[in-house]
Amino acid sequence: MDQFLITGSSRIAGEVTISGAKNAALPLLAAMILAETPTTLHNVPSLQDVRTLIELIGGMGINIQKQGDTVTCDTKSIDNFYAPYDLVKTMRASILVLGPLLARFGEAEVSLPGGCAIGSRPVDQHLKAFEAMGATITVENGYVIAQAPKGGKLLGCKFSFDMVTVGGTENVIMAAALAKGTTILGNCALEPEVVDLANMLVAMGAKISGIGTATMTIEGVERLHGCEYSVVPDRIETGSYLAGALMTRGDVLTKNTSALLLAPVLEKFEDMGAIITTGEDWIRAQMKGRPKSVDIRTQPHPGFPTDMQAQVMAIACLADGTSTFIENIFENRYMHVPELNRLGASIQVDGHTAVVKGVECFTAAPVMATDLRASMSLVMAVAAAEGESLIDRIYHIDRGYEHVEDKLRALGVNIERINSNN
Ligand code: UD1
């Protein structure tokens, strides 16, 4: 297993080009299954999760290729509608193939994703919506076996999600795009990645109104065609690198990104004392002194994103004053806390609340990455700490941050990948 050796304390400063969003690329890749003619997707990041989904889709007999940041997909030769446990277990987003398979081919057999490090994360809302569309769903030996009603087509329906779910909204709008009749979906997720998917579906011939609002109306069409589309920039990658500037009195310019996507995070960065300047496709964060404390409540978009909670907590560890965090999305998303405390932070967790008493500096220590975003908070924290730190289990970071060492080096971080098998 690879590890990172990071020698702090670096001032994180420089320019970094942001990749396409992992969380948009995954549903867009799944949506390619819906198209009867070839689809081309640009700005697709080279990440483990993307490779996993391409392998999963390729395993259905679909011709899907990635060259550079472009993926082309032709579904003509599809010969099975099956997503095996071995691939699905490594990535929960694999469940996103269920909606497209069921809608287009009338059947699908997809392994249940099971639990994951940041909570149990069920998919009951996805399945409930498919049932409302007339599908028969059974779970056998850990697999969801789904069958469309007689005639092979899902039926449009009125359905409201019990809670805001990003993946649920995505799965169901893909399915509704090819359903017979109109689907009215309530309590939809408003995340930019959901909007990106809806826009791509429209480019494929889908009829969707209310995009970017809580109620979407999808008028099912007979067939969808291929299109050429580009993935939105990764707002979480953007925020993660900008966070480095706040922790180290640094100066980071992120390019090929969008300030509009990151507004709730940029507001908090300003509250913490950063000078934020933005242009059409760039954001710069400059930090002159010690960060100020902050209060964060994670919420569905346009609230503060749970995927930035760990990185902002790492900044708050060094703040002048006490910060409070309330995690409202996932029940077990404070696994970075013991690791940050090993670096000298002072954080106490009580249920969903974490209270962070600011300290002057981090001290180097060996730490362990626990999930994707938590890993980045640790990278930034050890980059700010004086001395050498080893980060274990960095496969988490490879799932979601493209060319992470190159980008960190460009920002002045002294980082080396160590293959512990050598
Ligand atoms: C997506 C993102 C993830 C982000 C999360 C919340 C991708 C690939 N991942 O995950 O990075 O942290 O949104 O912004 O886009 N829930 C249920 N039943 C369901 C579905 C969800 O109870 O059927 C719960 C989950 O357990 C969780 C909450 O709803 O507590 C939100 O989950 P959801 O929005 O679905 O997250 P993901 O789509 O898995």
Side-chain angles (χ1 to χ4, degrees):
M1 253 190 268
D2 289 3
Q3 299 169 314
F4 279 150
L5 178 66
I6 296 181
T7 313
S9 82
S10 320
R11 176 172 180 262
I12 298 181
E15 292 184 9
V16 63
T17 301
I18 297 305
S19 304
K22 169 183 88 77
N23 286 357
L26 298 175
L28 297 185
L29 289 168
M32 286 172 139
I33 296 173
L34 291 163
E36 292 189 6
T37 53
T39 308
T40 303
L41 193 56
H42 300 288
N43 203 28
V44 181
S46 292
L47 296 170
Q48 190 52 46
D49 278 8
V50 166
R51 284 188 282 276
T52 302
L53 193 53
I54 288 177
E55 193 181 341
L56 189 73
I57 294 172
M60 296 168 191
I62 291 175
N63 183 359
I64 182 163
Q65 314 277 347
K66 183 167 187 296
Q67 275 198 320
D69 72 351
T70 297
V71 174
T72 48
C73 176
D74 186 348
T75 59
K76 263 203 314 285
S77 50
I78 188 164
D79 57 23
N80 71 83
F81 316 118
Y82 176 68
Y85 175 66
D86 278 355
L87 287 173
V88 175
K89 73 172 182 207
T90 64
M91 188 184 64
R92 178 184 152 80
S94 312
I95 194 75
L96 292 174
V97 301
L98 182 56
L101 288 174
L102 185 58
R104 185 163 165 213
F105 303 102
E107 58 179 299
E109 188 173 340
V110 177
S111 170
L112 274 172
C116 80
I118 57 174
S120 60
R121 301 178 82 175
V123 291
D124 57 301
Q125 296 298 307
H126 306 225
L127 304 185
K128 210 169 149 186
F130 295 143
E131 279 178 335
M133 299 174 90
T136 308
I137 308 276
T138 49
V139 178
E140 279 173 33
N141 306 321
Y143 279 78
V144 178
I145 300 171
Q147 193 82 45
K150 269 205 188 95
K153 281 272 176 199
L154 292 172
L155 307 173
C157 72
K158 207 166 172 201
F159 181 84
S160 192
F161 294 99
D162 295 337
M163 83 270 300
V164 177
T165 154
V166 174
T169 306
E170 292 167 345
N171 224 343
V172 179
I173 57 173
M174 288 190 281
L178 282 182
K180 194 169 171 198
T182 300
T183 303
I184 301 173
L185 286 180
N187 202 20
C188 294
L190 311 180
E191 268 66 6
E193 295 76 21
V194 175
V195 172
D196 206 31
L197 170 65
N199 286 336
M200 172 157 145
L201 291 171
V202 169
M204 292 165 76
K207 292 192 176 155
I208 308 178
S209 60
I211 295 174
T213 72
T215 305
M216 274 194 270
T217 303
I218 303 129
E219 206 186 304
V221 295
E222 197 57 38
R223 53 180 50 89
L224 293 171
H225 53 75
C227 69
E228 194 161 349
Y229 197 78
S230 190
V231 180
V232 278
D234 197 318
R235 63 195 166 107
I236 306 301
E237 188 197 22
T238 307
S240 301
Y241 288 118
L242 294 173
L246 275 83
M247 287 167 67
T248 61
R249 300 179 192 207
D251 183 353
V252 172
L253 177 69
T254 51
K255 297 191 296 190
N256 193 25
T257 188
S258 160
L260 284 178
L261 304 177
L262 207 61
V265 175
L266 297 180
E267 264 171 41
K268 291 292 177 186
F269 283 173
E270 283 181 326
D271 291 350
M272 296 179 99
I275 302 162
I276 302 290
T277 39
T278 63
E280 201 184 323
D281 63 352
W282 58 267
I283 308 172
R284 180 178 181 189
Q286 291 167 278
M287 192 74 178
K288 304 261 191 249
R290 195 174 168 191
K292 292 183 200 145
S293 59
V294 71
D295 290 323
I296 300 280
R297 280 168 183 268
T298 63
Q299 300 283 358
H301 194 78
F304 188 91
T306 175
D307 286 353
M308 279 300 298
Q309 179 251 105
Q311 301 89 315
V312 173
M313 188 178 288
I315 307 170
C317 288
L318 299 179
D320 187 7
T322 298
S323 304
T324 307
F325 286 72
I326 300 175
E327 172 57 57
N328 289 309
I329 309 291
F330 292 113
E331 80 262 29
N332 187 20
R333 208 169 195 181
Y334 284 137
M335 285 177 309
H336 44 284
V337 166
E339 303 301 313
L340 289 170
N341 282 343
R342 286 171 54 72
L343 297 168
S346 170
I347 312 168
Q348 288 219 316
V349 174
D350 183 6
H352 285 225
T353 305
V355 177
V356 184
K357 282 195 191 136
V359 296
E360 289 279 342
C361 59
F362 287 121
T363 48
V367 286
M368 190 172 74
T370 50
D371 74 55
L372 173 53
R373 306 303 169 185
S375 330
M376 202 51 166
S377 74
L378 296 178
V379 165
M380 293 301 181
V382 302
E386 192 89 41
E388 272 188 7
S389 302
L390 202 57
I391 308 187
D392 211 352
R393 302 201 180 170
I394 57 159
Y395 57 85
H396 286 295
I397 217 169
D398 292 331
R399 285 187 47 211
Y401 290 90
E402 187 181 40
H403 306 315
V404 64
E405 295 119 283
D406 296 344
K407 292 189 185 188
L408 286 164
R409 278 195 202 108
L411 294 176
V413 177
N414 186 340
I415 179 168
E416 202 183 321
R417 183 181 288 257
I418 296 175
N419 186 324
S420 54
N421 297 329
N422 287 341

mmCIF file of all heavy atoms in Angstrom, residues 22-24 26-27 92-93 96 118 120-126 163-168 170 191 235 306-307 329-331 333 373, ligand 1:
data_model
loop_
_atom_site.group_PDB
_atom_site.id
_atom_site.type_symbol
_atom_site.label_atom_id
_atom_site.label_comp_id
_atom_site.label_asym_id
_atom_site.label_seq_id
_atom_site.Cartn_x
_atom_site.Cartn_y
_atom_site.Cartn_z
ATOM 1 N N LYS A 22 -15.218 14.515 -9.955
ATOM 2 C CA LYS A 22 -15.469 13.076 -9.818
ATOM 3 C C LYS A 22 -16.972 12.817 -9.653
ATOM 4 O O LYS A 22 -17.535 11.943 -10.301
ATOM 5 C CB LYS A 22 -14.724 12.539 -8.586
ATOM 6 C CG LYS A 22 -15.128 11.126 -8.207
ATOM 7 C CD LYS A 22 -14.443 10.657 -6.946
ATOM 8 C CE LYS A 22 -15.177 11.017 -5.679
ATOM 9 N NZ LYS A 22 -16.363 10.184 -5.366
ATOM 10 N N ASN A 23 -17.603 13.598 -8.783
ATOM 11 C CA ASN A 23 -19.008 13.334 -8.463
ATOM 12 C C ASN A 23 -19.960 13.676 -9.594
ATOM 13 O O ASN A 23 -21.140 13.310 -9.547
ATOM 14 C CB ASN A 23 -19.420 14.087 -7.189
ATOM 15 C CG ASN A 23 -18.848 13.437 -5.945
ATOM 16 O OD1 ASN A 23 -18.197 12.401 -6.027
ATOM 17 N ND2 ASN A 23 -19.083 14.050 -4.798
ATOM 18 N N ALA A 24 -19.462 14.403 -10.602
ATOM 19 C CA ALA A 24 -20.281 14.611 -11.805
ATOM 20 C C ALA A 24 -19.919 13.553 -12.834
ATOM 21 O O ALA A 24 -20.797 12.996 -13.499
ATOM 22 C CB ALA A 24 -20.058 16.002 -12.365
ATOM 23 N N LEU A 26 -19.030 10.492 -12.561
ATOM 24 C CA LEU A 26 -19.586 9.147 -12.324
ATOM 25 C C LEU A 26 -21.030 9.033 -12.832
ATOM 26 O O LEU A 26 -21.321 8.145 -13.631
ATOM 27 C CB LEU A 26 -19.454 8.756 -10.850
ATOM 28 C CG LEU A 26 -18.003 8.661 -10.327
ATOM 29 C CD1 LEU A 26 -17.978 8.394 -8.821
ATOM 30 C CD2 LEU A 26 -17.214 7.578 -11.057
ATOM 31 N N PRO A 27 -21.944 9.928 -12.432
ATOM 32 C CA PRO A 27 -23.292 9.823 -13.020
ATOM 33 C C PRO A 27 -23.315 10.043 -14.530
ATOM 34 O O PRO A 27 -24.113 9.415 -15.236
ATOM 35 C CB PRO A 27 -24.111 10.891 -12.283
ATOM 36 C CG PRO A 27 -23.131 11.737 -11.557
ATOM 37 C CD PRO A 27 -21.900 10.924 -11.352
ATOM 38 N N ARG A 92 -19.527 3.016 -3.995
ATOM 39 C CA ARG A 92 -20.976 3.069 -3.828
ATOM 40 C C ARG A 92 -21.692 3.628 -5.058
ATOM 41 O O ARG A 92 -22.810 3.210 -5.391
ATOM 42 C CB ARG A 92 -21.226 3.943 -2.595
ATOM 43 C CG ARG A 92 -22.631 4.167 -2.263
ATOM 44 C CD ARG A 92 -22.721 5.127 -1.101
ATOM 45 N NE ARG A 92 -23.977 5.848 -1.166
ATOM 46 C CZ ARG A 92 -25.125 5.349 -0.765
ATOM 47 N NH1 ARG A 92 -25.183 4.159 -0.236
ATOM 48 N NH2 ARG A 92 -26.229 6.050 -0.876
ATOM 49 N N ALA A 93 -21.035 4.547 -5.766
ATOM 50 C CA ALA A 93 -21.694 5.195 -6.912
ATOM 51 C C ALA A 93 -22.006 4.202 -8.030
ATOM 52 O O ALA A 93 -22.742 4.535 -8.960
ATOM 53 C CB ALA A 93 -20.831 6.337 -7.436
ATOM 54 N N LEU A 96 -25.427 3.664 -9.533
ATOM 55 C CA LEU A 96 -25.989 4.566 -10.551
ATOM 56 C C LEU A 96 -26.213 3.891 -11.900
ATOM 57 O O LEU A 96 -26.853 4.461 -12.777
ATOM 58 C CB LEU A 96 -25.069 5.787 -10.741
ATOM 59 C CG LEU A 96 -25.004 6.744 -9.554
ATOM 60 C CD1 LEU A 96 -23.966 7.820 -9.788
ATOM 61 C CD2 LEU A 96 -26.375 7.371 -9.288
ATOM 62 N N ILE A 118 -17.921 6.084 5.857
ATOM 63 C CA ILE A 118 -18.572 7.243 6.472
ATOM 64 C C ILE A 118 -20.037 7.010 6.800
ATOM 65 O O ILE A 118 -20.807 7.941 6.937
ATOM 66 C CB ILE A 118 -18.378 8.540 5.646
ATOM 67 C CG1 ILE A 118 -18.894 8.391 4.223
ATOM 68 C CG2 ILE A 118 -16.930 8.964 5.636
ATOM 69 C CD1 ILE A 118 -18.850 9.703 3.443
ATOM 70 N N SER A 120 -23.642 4.034 7.056
ATOM 71 C CA SER A 120 -24.278 2.867 6.443
ATOM 72 C C SER A 120 -24.769 3.168 5.013
ATOM 73 O O SER A 120 -24.788 2.300 4.172
ATOM 74 C CB SER A 120 -25.434 2.387 7.314
ATOM 75 O OG SER A 120 -26.369 3.426 7.444
ATOM 76 N N ARG A 121 -25.146 4.389 4.732
ATOM 77 C CA ARG A 121 -25.497 4.863 3.397
ATOM 78 C C ARG A 121 -26.385 3.910 2.599
ATOM 79 O O ARG A 121 -25.968 3.330 1.602
ATOM 80 C CB ARG A 121 -24.221 5.190 2.608
ATOM 81 C CG ARG A 121 -23.392 6.243 3.285
ATOM 82 C CD ARG A 121 -22.127 6.554 2.561
ATOM 83 N NE ARG A 121 -22.301 7.486 1.460
ATOM 84 C CZ ARG A 121 -21.291 7.969 0.742
ATOM 85 N NH1 ARG A 121 -20.068 7.598 1.016
ATOM 86 N NH2 ARG A 121 -21.514 8.810 -0.221
ATOM 87 N N PRO A 122 -27.629 3.746 3.024
ATOM 88 C CA PRO A 122 -28.529 2.861 2.292
ATOM 89 C C PRO A 122 -28.939 3.426 0.930
ATOM 90 O O PRO A 122 -28.672 4.592 0.632
ATOM 91 C CB PRO A 122 -29.750 2.766 3.213
ATOM 92 C CG PRO A 122 -29.697 3.975 4.063
ATOM 93 C CD PRO A 122 -28.270 4.398 4.178
ATOM 94 N N VAL A 123 -29.590 2.589 0.106
ATOM 95 C CA VAL A 123 -30.098 3.046 -1.201
ATOM 96 C C VAL A 123 -31.614 2.853 -1.281
ATOM 97 O O VAL A 123 -32.183 2.726 -2.352
ATOM 98 C CB VAL A 123 -29.387 2.334 -2.383
ATOM 99 C CG1 VAL A 123 -27.943 2.764 -2.506
ATOM 100 C CG2 VAL A 123 -29.498 0.822 -2.282
ATOM 101 N N ASP A 124 -32.258 2.848 -0.103
ATOM 102 C CA ASP A 124 -33.697 2.589 -0.062
ATOM 103 C C ASP A 124 -34.504 3.579 -0.913
ATOM 104 O O ASP A 124 -35.505 3.215 -1.527
ATOM 105 C CB ASP A 124 -34.199 2.610 1.392
ATOM 106 C CG ASP A 124 -33.878 3.921 2.083
ATOM 107 O OD1 ASP A 124 -32.675 4.270 2.171
ATOM 108 O OD2 ASP A 124 -34.804 4.620 2.509
ATOM 109 N N GLN A 125 -34.047 4.836 -0.972
ATOM 110 C CA GLN A 125 -34.800 5.846 -1.727
ATOM 111 C C GLN A 125 -34.756 5.574 -3.222
ATOM 112 O O GLN A 125 -35.727 5.804 -3.933
ATOM 113 C CB GLN A 125 -34.243 7.250 -1.443
ATOM 114 C CG GLN A 125 -34.400 7.682 -0.006
ATOM 115 C CD GLN A 125 -35.861 7.767 0.403
ATOM 116 O OE1 GLN A 125 -36.666 8.421 -0.247
ATOM 117 N NE2 GLN A 125 -36.206 7.069 1.471
ATOM 118 N N HIS A 126 -33.595 5.082 -3.700
ATOM 119 C CA HIS A 126 -33.479 4.742 -5.120
ATOM 120 C C HIS A 126 -34.526 3.654 -5.430
ATOM 121 O O HIS A 126 -35.291 3.757 -6.391
ATOM 122 C CB HIS A 126 -32.100 4.158 -5.459
ATOM 123 C CG HIS A 126 -30.912 4.998 -5.052
ATOM 124 N ND1 HIS A 126 -29.845 5.221 -5.899
ATOM 125 C CD2 HIS A 126 -30.600 5.650 -3.906
ATOM 126 C CE1 HIS A 126 -28.946 5.963 -5.287
ATOM 127 N NE2 HIS A 126 -29.377 6.228 -4.074
ATOM 128 N N MET A 163 -35.693 12.100 1.990
ATOM 129 C CA MET A 163 -34.606 13.003 2.381
ATOM 130 C C MET A 163 -33.886 13.424 1.099
ATOM 131 O O MET A 163 -34.102 12.808 0.048
ATOM 132 C CB MET A 163 -33.632 12.316 3.345
ATOM 133 C CG MET A 163 -32.582 11.457 2.717
ATOM 134 S SD MET A 163 -33.013 9.736 2.477
ATOM 135 C CE MET A 163 -33.342 9.197 4.113
ATOM 136 N N VAL A 164 -33.080 14.466 1.204
ATOM 137 C CA VAL A 164 -32.370 14.909 0.000
ATOM 138 C C VAL A 164 -31.243 13.913 -0.273
ATOM 139 O O VAL A 164 -30.370 13.722 0.572
ATOM 140 C CB VAL A 164 -31.794 16.328 0.194
ATOM 141 C CG1 VAL A 164 -30.991 16.739 -1.031
ATOM 142 C CG2 VAL A 164 -32.913 17.315 0.461
ATOM 143 N N THR A 165 -31.285 13.262 -1.421
ATOM 144 C CA THR A 165 -30.221 12.326 -1.780
ATOM 145 C C THR A 165 -29.697 12.635 -3.180
ATOM 146 O O THR A 165 -30.473 12.686 -4.143
ATOM 147 C CB THR A 165 -30.668 10.841 -1.665
ATOM 148 O OG1 THR A 165 -29.888 10.038 -2.565
ATOM 149 C CG2 THR A 165 -32.130 10.621 -1.959
ATOM 150 N N VAL A 166 -28.391 12.837 -3.244
ATOM 151 C CA VAL A 166 -27.747 13.193 -4.505
ATOM 152 C C VAL A 166 -27.825 11.996 -5.461
ATOM 153 O O VAL A 166 -28.368 12.085 -6.564
ATOM 154 C CB VAL A 166 -26.273 13.595 -4.251
ATOM 155 C CG1 VAL A 166 -25.529 13.819 -5.566
ATOM 156 C CG2 VAL A 166 -26.212 14.845 -3.382
ATOM 157 N N GLY A 167 -27.312 10.859 -5.014
ATOM 158 C CA GLY A 167 -27.303 9.664 -5.868
ATOM 159 C C GLY A 167 -28.715 9.217 -6.216
ATOM 160 O O GLY A 167 -28.985 8.797 -7.346
ATOM 161 N N GLY A 168 -29.635 9.306 -5.262
ATOM 162 C CA GLY A 168 -31.017 8.905 -5.500
ATOM 163 C C GLY A 168 -31.630 9.770 -6.598
ATOM 164 O O GLY A 168 -32.252 9.260 -7.543
ATOM 165 N N GLU A 170 -30.113 11.391 -8.898
ATOM 166 C CA GLU A 170 -29.451 11.109 -10.182
ATOM 167 C C GLU A 170 -29.980 9.812 -10.809
ATOM 168 O O GLU A 170 -30.309 9.768 -11.996
ATOM 169 C CB GLU A 170 -27.938 11.028 -9.970
ATOM 170 C CG GLU A 170 -27.344 12.384 -9.612
ATOM 171 C CD GLU A 170 -25.920 12.343 -9.083
ATOM 172 O OE1 GLU A 170 -25.434 11.247 -8.706
ATOM 173 O OE2 GLU A 170 -25.288 13.406 -9.020
ATOM 174 N N GLU A 191 -27.537 19.793 -5.911
ATOM 175 C CA GLU A 191 -26.086 19.850 -6.099
ATOM 176 C C GLU A 191 -25.728 20.131 -7.568
ATOM 177 O O GLU A 191 -26.420 19.641 -8.483
ATOM 178 C CB GLU A 191 -25.461 18.512 -5.672
ATOM 179 C CG GLU A 191 -25.008 18.430 -4.218
ATOM 180 C CD GLU A 191 -26.128 18.503 -3.190
ATOM 181 O OE1 GLU A 191 -27.320 18.502 -3.586
ATOM 182 O OE2 GLU A 191 -25.829 18.563 -1.989
ATOM 183 N N ARG A 235 -15.665 21.138 -7.591
ATOM 184 C CA ARG A 235 -15.722 22.196 -6.562
ATOM 185 C C ARG A 235 -15.032 21.749 -5.287
ATOM 186 O O ARG A 235 -14.479 22.566 -4.535
ATOM 187 C CB ARG A 235 -17.169 22.636 -6.310
ATOM 188 C CG ARG A 235 -18.058 21.552 -5.766
ATOM 189 C CD ARG A 235 -19.538 21.890 -5.865
ATOM 190 N NE ARG A 235 -20.318 20.698 -5.626
ATOM 191 C CZ ARG A 235 -21.013 20.452 -4.512
ATOM 192 N NH1 ARG A 235 -21.050 21.346 -3.554
ATOM 193 N NH2 ARG A 235 -21.683 19.333 -4.372
ATOM 194 N N THR A 306 -20.855 18.659 2.962
ATOM 195 C CA THR A 306 -20.200 17.709 3.870
ATOM 196 C C THR A 306 -18.808 17.314 3.363
ATOM 197 O O THR A 306 -17.906 17.036 4.155
ATOM 198 C CB THR A 306 -21.083 16.454 4.075
ATOM 199 O OG1 THR A 306 -20.379 15.508 4.860
ATOM 200 C CG2 THR A 306 -21.470 15.779 2.765
ATOM 201 N N ASP A 307 -18.628 17.322 2.034
ATOM 202 C CA ASP A 307 -17.339 16.919 1.468
ATOM 203 C C ASP A 307 -16.228 17.936 1.731
ATOM 204 O O ASP A 307 -15.068 17.675 1.407
ATOM 205 C CB ASP A 307 -17.472 16.684 -0.048
ATOM 206 C CG ASP A 307 -18.198 15.383 -0.362
ATOM 207 O OD1 ASP A 307 -18.479 14.608 0.570
ATOM 208 O OD2 ASP A 307 -18.495 15.143 -1.550
ATOM 209 N N ILE A 329 -25.167 15.363 7.452
ATOM 210 C CA ILE A 329 -25.437 14.476 6.305
ATOM 211 C C ILE A 329 -25.090 13.016 6.620
ATOM 212 O O ILE A 329 -25.866 12.119 6.339
ATOM 213 C CB ILE A 329 -24.670 14.942 5.039
ATOM 214 C CG1 ILE A 329 -24.905 16.428 4.770
ATOM 215 C CG2 ILE A 329 -25.049 14.074 3.822
ATOM 216 C CD1 ILE A 329 -26.289 16.812 4.333
ATOM 217 N N PHE A 330 -23.909 12.801 7.179
ATOM 218 C CA PHE A 330 -23.472 11.424 7.450
ATOM 219 C C PHE A 330 -23.241 11.223 8.942
ATOM 220 O O PHE A 330 -22.757 12.133 9.632
ATOM 221 C CB PHE A 330 -22.192 11.107 6.671
ATOM 222 C CG PHE A 330 -22.415 11.054 5.191
ATOM 223 C CD1 PHE A 330 -21.847 12.005 4.351
ATOM 224 C CD2 PHE A 330 -23.219 10.072 4.620
ATOM 225 C CE1 PHE A 330 -22.058 11.971 2.983
ATOM 226 C CE2 PHE A 330 -23.444 10.026 3.253
ATOM 227 C CZ PHE A 330 -22.862 10.982 2.433
ATOM 228 N N GLU A 331 -23.565 10.019 9.427
ATOM 229 C CA GLU A 331 -23.514 9.800 10.879
ATOM 230 C C GLU A 331 -22.114 9.494 11.396
ATOM 231 O O GLU A 331 -21.874 9.544 12.574
ATOM 232 C CB GLU A 331 -24.511 8.698 11.297
ATOM 233 C CG GLU A 331 -24.045 7.283 11.080
ATOM 234 C CD GLU A 331 -24.582 6.662 9.794
ATOM 235 O OE1 GLU A 331 -24.848 7.401 8.824
ATOM 236 O OE2 GLU A 331 -24.710 5.440 9.762
ATOM 237 N N ARG A 333 -18.831 10.820 10.200
ATOM 238 C CA ARG A 333 -17.894 11.507 9.335
ATOM 239 C C ARG A 333 -16.893 12.353 10.117
ATOM 240 O O ARG A 333 -16.470 13.419 9.664
ATOM 241 C CB ARG A 333 -18.619 12.367 8.314
ATOM 242 C CG ARG A 333 -17.756 12.502 7.085
ATOM 243 C CD ARG A 333 -18.400 13.087 5.898
ATOM 244 N NE ARG A 333 -17.546 12.797 4.746
ATOM 245 C CZ ARG A 333 -17.795 13.183 3.527
ATOM 246 N NH1 ARG A 333 -18.865 13.876 3.271
ATOM 247 N NH2 ARG A 333 -16.973 12.882 2.541
ATOM 248 N N ARG A 373 -12.171 12.503 1.596
ATOM 249 C CA ARG A 373 -11.974 13.926 1.903
ATOM 250 C C ARG A 373 -11.146 14.118 3.160
ATOM 251 O O ARG A 373 -10.369 15.059 3.267
ATOM 252 C CB ARG A 373 -13.319 14.638 2.033
ATOM 253 C CG ARG A 373 -14.216 14.457 0.845
ATOM 254 C CD ARG A 373 -13.583 14.904 -0.458
ATOM 255 N NE ARG A 373 -14.376 14.486 -1.600
ATOM 256 C CZ ARG A 373 -14.022 14.650 -2.876
ATOM 257 N NH1 ARG A 373 -12.872 15.219 -3.169
ATOM 258 N NH2 ARG A 373 -14.799 14.247 -3.850
HETATM 259 C C1 UD1 B 1 -22.939 11.986 -2.896
HETATM 260 C C2 UD1 B 1 -21.484 12.251 -3.151
HETATM 261 C C3 UD1 B 1 -20.720 12.363 -1.847
HETATM 262 C C4 UD1 B 1 -21.374 13.411 -0.949
HETATM 263 C C5 UD1 B 1 -22.867 13.131 -0.780
HETATM 264 C C6 UD1 B 1 -23.585 14.235 -0.020
HETATM 265 C C7 UD1 B 1 -21.121 11.137 -5.277
HETATM 266 C C8 UD1 B 1 -20.472 10.041 -6.027
HETATM 267 N N1 UD1 B 1 -20.945 11.173 -3.945
HETATM 268 O O1 UD1 B 1 -23.027 10.720 -2.227
HETATM 269 O O2 UD1 B 1 -19.371 12.740 -2.145
HETATM 270 O O3 UD1 B 1 -20.748 13.394 0.328
HETATM 271 O O4 UD1 B 1 -23.491 13.016 -2.079
HETATM 272 O O5 UD1 B 1 -23.424 15.455 -0.640
HETATM 273 O O6 UD1 B 1 -21.752 12.010 -5.853
HETATM 274 N N2 UD1 B 1 -29.592 8.127 2.118
HETATM 275 C C9 UD1 B 1 -30.535 7.222 2.545
HETATM 276 N N3 UD1 B 1 -31.187 6.466 1.604
HETATM 277 C C10 UD1 B 1 -30.931 6.564 0.274
HETATM 278 C C11 UD1 B 1 -29.954 7.480 -0.150
HETATM 279 C C12 UD1 B 1 -29.301 8.255 0.796
HETATM 280 O O7 UD1 B 1 -30.793 7.097 3.745
HETATM 281 O O8 UD1 B 1 -31.528 5.841 -0.524
HETATM 282 C C13 UD1 B 1 -28.863 8.968 3.111
HETATM 283 C C14 UD1 B 1 -27.383 8.639 3.180
HETATM 284 O O9 UD1 B 1 -27.118 7.564 4.044
HETATM 285 C C15 UD1 B 1 -26.803 9.942 3.651
HETATM 286 C C16 UD1 B 1 -27.721 11.009 3.022
HETATM 287 O O10 UD1 B 1 -28.922 10.321 2.698
HETATM 288 O O11 UD1 B 1 -26.887 10.032 5.050
HETATM 289 C C17 UD1 B 1 -27.161 11.662 1.784
HETATM 290 O O12 UD1 B 1 -26.742 10.660 0.873
HETATM 291 P P1 UD1 B 1 -26.646 10.929 -0.695
HETATM 292 O O13 UD1 B 1 -26.956 12.368 -0.964
HETATM 293 O O14 UD1 B 1 -27.430 9.910 -1.407
HETATM 294 O O15 UD1 B 1 -25.103 10.692 -0.944
HETATM 295 P P2 UD1 B 1 -24.409 9.951 -2.143
HETATM 296 O O16 UD1 B 1 -25.168 10.175 -3.406
HETATM 297 O O17 UD1 B 1 -24.085 8.573 -1.748
#
